[in-house]
Amino acid sequence: MKDRHVHLARIRTLDPDRDHLAIYQTMLRYEFPWDMKLGLNLAFNRSFSIPRVAAVHTATGELTDRTQKRIDDTGVLMYEMVLNGFDQPRGRDALRRVNQIHRPYDIPNDDYLYVLGCLVVVPTRWLERYGWRRPCCHERRATWRFYRELGVRMGVTGIPGSYEEFEVWFDAYDREHLRPNADAAAIERATRMLMLTRIPAPLAPLGNALVSAMYDARLRAATGVPTPPWPVRAGLHAGLRARAHLRRWFGRPPAVPLFADGITTKTYPDGYDISRLGPPSAPPAGRSPA
């Protein structure tokens, strides 16, 4: 059991403000690799579903026509920043590319805040419910601190001053703005195939219902997804909780951290040039890619 908590013990010796990158890297690469990747997928799904953001994505076709590439580009840029920070060359290049992609658009500050809120709150809540242990206060603050730093470097203003404050802001904004809309439904249909790859092969016949059960009621309503039967929802919850208990009592930290061999994706099996990730050309000014 001591080995199982070796990373947590180290995290508790760190300063979540000064050492936020090291803590967040440990969460992603060692403590919760599967859960963090899934939580980030759910976070991006939610951020794409706000009507104003969803309308732009369906207009550009980036998520509906080039789904795999769009998701891979987003994931690669995010993971480059997490793995390298914002001051090392690759992380700095990824941040520069993110800003280049967004610069031509007139993006409301609250849209940026909502995306950051999704990345801060959604994965953390997944860990609180289904992680093999609950994230500690250092991990919650380091998560907020990492995305606060990202937001500041993207020119976002008004970022709430703690994880708890961001959570309150996020819930209020989500309640007001996450509404049913046809564009979000189209994006959800396009991106669902990627969520289905997370389903174990023996459960493939229930794949669509299980993916729907991962969404909460508000996200299902926004994207036009029917509520799955209660046995599926209850079974998913029970299975994830059982997995958490098994990992808590019998698991061990991974010998090889996530991304030890670099970031590979279906779109870029042989590597990629950070400066070429994202849309092939700058879109018209005044429209937001979110």
Side-chain angles (χ1 to χ4, degrees):
M1 189 60 64
K2 179 180 178 181
D3 288 345
R4 192 69 181 106
H5 291 84
V6 63
H7 295 300
L8 177 60
R10 174 176 172 269
I11 285 170
R12 285 175 169 163
T13 69
L14 300 176
D15 183 314
D17 291 311
R18 183 190 62 234
D19 304 315
H20 60 274
L21 178 61
I23 293 172
Y24 195 64
Q25 288 172 336
T26 301
M27 293 171 67
L28 175 69
R29 304 189 71 198
Y30 291 96
E31 289 289 84
F32 314 105
W34 184 87
D35 295 279
M36 286 286 287
K37 288 185 72 176
L38 179 58
L40 288 168
N41 283 349
L42 291 170
F44 278 115
N45 268 18
R46 197 176 200 92
S47 71
F48 297 152
S49 299
I50 295 291
R52 182 167 53 198
V53 174
V56 173
H57 280 301
T58 55
T60 63
E62 283 297 306
L63 272 169
T64 52
D65 300 333
R66 296 174 288 278
T67 307
Q68 186 71 58
K69 181 181 185 302
R70 176 62 169 79
I71 296 297
D72 284 350
D73 286 353
T74 299
V76 167
L77 288 168
M78 178 59 66
Y79 292 136
E80 285 285 0
M81 290 186 289
V82 174
L83 295 180
N84 299 289
F86 303 116
D87 296 318
Q88 297 300 315
R90 293 190 67 84
R92 188 167 59 244
D93 289 346
L95 176 62
R96 181 183 300 115
R97 184 58 183 149
V98 168
N99 283 326
Q100 287 172 345
I101 291 169
H102 291 82
R103 189 171 294 123
Y105 301 99
D106 182 17
I107 302 174
N109 191 71
D110 278 357
D111 284 0
Y112 278 124
L113 276 177
Y114 183 71
V115 174
L116 290 175
C118 287
L119 295 169
V120 170
V121 175
V122 173
T124 303
R125 286 181 172 170
W126 179 272
L127 293 179
E128 288 172 345
R129 193 172 190 187
Y130 297 122
W132 67 268
R133 63 169 176 82
R134 293 172 62 87
C136 74
C137 58
H138 277 28
E139 289 166 323
R140 287 194 297 273
R141 185 164 181 85
T143 298
W144 162 77
R145 186 67 174 74
F146 175 82
Y147 287 106
R148 177 187 178 278
E149 185 71 16
L150 172 59
V152 167
R153 290 172 184 251
M154 293 180 67
V156 183
T157 60
I159 301 172
S162 68
Y163 175 86
E164 293 74 17
E165 291 178 19
F166 214 157
E167 189 174 34
V168 171
W169 183 93
F170 171 81
D171 284 336
Y173 194 87
D174 194 74
R175 281 193 300 269
E176 182 177 354
H177 294 279
L178 188 62
R179 302 294 186 189
N181 65 99
D183 294 309
I187 292 170
E188 196 283 329
R189 288 193 298 271
T191 57
R192 174 169 285 256
M193 65 175 184
L194 303 179
M195 291 295 292
L196 288 171
T197 63
R198 300 280 183 183
I199 304 298
L203 298 176
L206 293 172
N208 277 305
L210 290 170
V211 169
S212 299
M214 292 183 193
Y215 303 159
D216 64 20
R218 190 178 295 127
L219 182 57
R220 285 197 294 266
T223 55
V225 172
T227 301
W230 74 262
V232 174
R233 286 178 282 137
L236 176 68
H237 175 74
L240 289 168
R241 292 301 303 151
R243 172 184 176 273
H245 285 296
L246 288 172
R247 291 183 61 80
R248 179 178 302 124
W249 294 108
F250 301 107
R252 290 289 182 271
V256 178
L258 185 66
F259 300 128
D261 298 322
I263 304 169
T264 58
T265 68
K266 290 182 180 179
T267 307
Y268 307 107
D270 301 315
Y272 49 84
D273 180 343
I274 292 174
S275 68
R276 295 181 179 273
L277 297 172
S281 60
R287 294 177 59 186
S288 163

